[in-house]
Amino acid sequence: MNTEARPFDVMESDCPSRVVLQRIGDKWTPLVFQVLKGGPRRFSAIRTSIQGVTPKVLTQTLRTLERDGLVARTVYAQVPPRVEYRLTPLGETLLGPLDAVRIWSEEHAGKILQARHDYDDQPEGRDG
């Protein structure tokens, strides 16, 4: 399948790049990347690092990232089996953009919270 035949445009409803953008922007993917940028991690270490994620959701997220070629899963033949996850070279290309978004989020969270507070304190019946 030649996926390079036409340019991708996320503004088109049927464009495959829209699915990629949704994957990158979901709730857990950026957090998984933050954990894995430090190197390979076991499932339990990823789960411990990301507070609030359930095992089921983390499993689904990791499987999807593996299917997309962003994360690699390695099973070591030992008893009990040991499984590690790591970023692939393709996944590593996302570290810069995701780090930029993380840094921006941390630097501006206070302003966003203040804007929400100000918005919620406005009287009902706002124009718009």
Side-chain angles (χ1 to χ4, degrees), residues 24-100:
I24 295 165
D26 83 4
K27 183 175 182 177
W28 303 109
T29 294
L31 301 176
V32 168
F33 271 72
Q34 289 302 308
V35 174
L36 293 180
K37 75 179 182 182
R41 297 284 185 270
R42 295 177 76 167
F43 182 90
S44 59
I46 298 168
R47 188 170 152 235
T48 299
S49 297
I50 303 174
Q51 297 178 9
V53 67
T54 65
K56 178 182 177 182
V57 170
L58 181 56
T59 297
Q60 291 170 340
T61 301
L62 289 167
R63 282 185 183 156
T64 301
L65 292 172
E66 182 181 8
R67 181 175 184 241
D68 290 345
L70 301 171
V71 168
R73 179 179 181 263
T74 304
V75 179
Y76 295 92
Q78 57 190 62
V79 179
R82 182 171 58 106
V83 178
E84 287 185 341
Y85 297 89
R86 64 171 174 76
L87 295 176
T88 64
L90 178 61
E92 288 175 354
T93 67
L94 265 175
L95 287 175
L98 288 177
D99 274 345

